[in-house]
Amino acid sequence: QVQLVVSGGGLVQVGTSLRLSCEASGRRFKYYTMGWFRQAPGKEREFVAAIRWTGGDSRVADSVKGRFTVSKDDARNTVDLQMNNLKPEDSAVYLCAARFDPDDNPTLPSSRYSYDYWGQGTQVTVSS
């Protein structure tokens, strides 16, 4: 059974950085694509970033490009989201997701409906 455990959220000031980690367990993730999403109160769940476990191809949403990066750590079995220069509009619950992708789809999916498994969220609040 796939388990995704998210850590690293918190309350930070504008312009500072935060790193979120998603620890994946339950199976080998060789053929998985991992995604990060966020959801603010009253808003739709929004794509943030995705990374292919094998090979490391990645993409981030235009709204966070240049500030957020996604990476994976094979030793820790985690997918990390480094968030720099945080803004108040980045405040949301951040969620980790996994998609079984044995066909190695060249396009990393941004739709929440493309992901099969979800971890619990972690709150990120950026205070001005």
Side-chain angles (χ1 to χ4, degrees), residues 17-30:
S17 299
L18 202 58
R19 188 177 186 88
L20 305 181
S21 286
C22 173
E23 182 178 1
S25 64
R27 60 189 58 178
R28 294 183 66 196
F29 288 87
K30 180 178 180 181

Side-chain angles (χ1 to χ4, degrees), residues 1 21-22 35 52-53 57 72-73 83 89 98-99 111 113 116 118-119:
Q1 184 176 350
S21 286
C22 173
R52 199 184 313 280
W53 198 279
D57 292 345
K72 63 182 180 71
D73 186 325
M83 305 184 295
E89 53 263 42
R99 165 187 168 87
S111 168
Y113 301 106
D116 306 304
W118 292 84

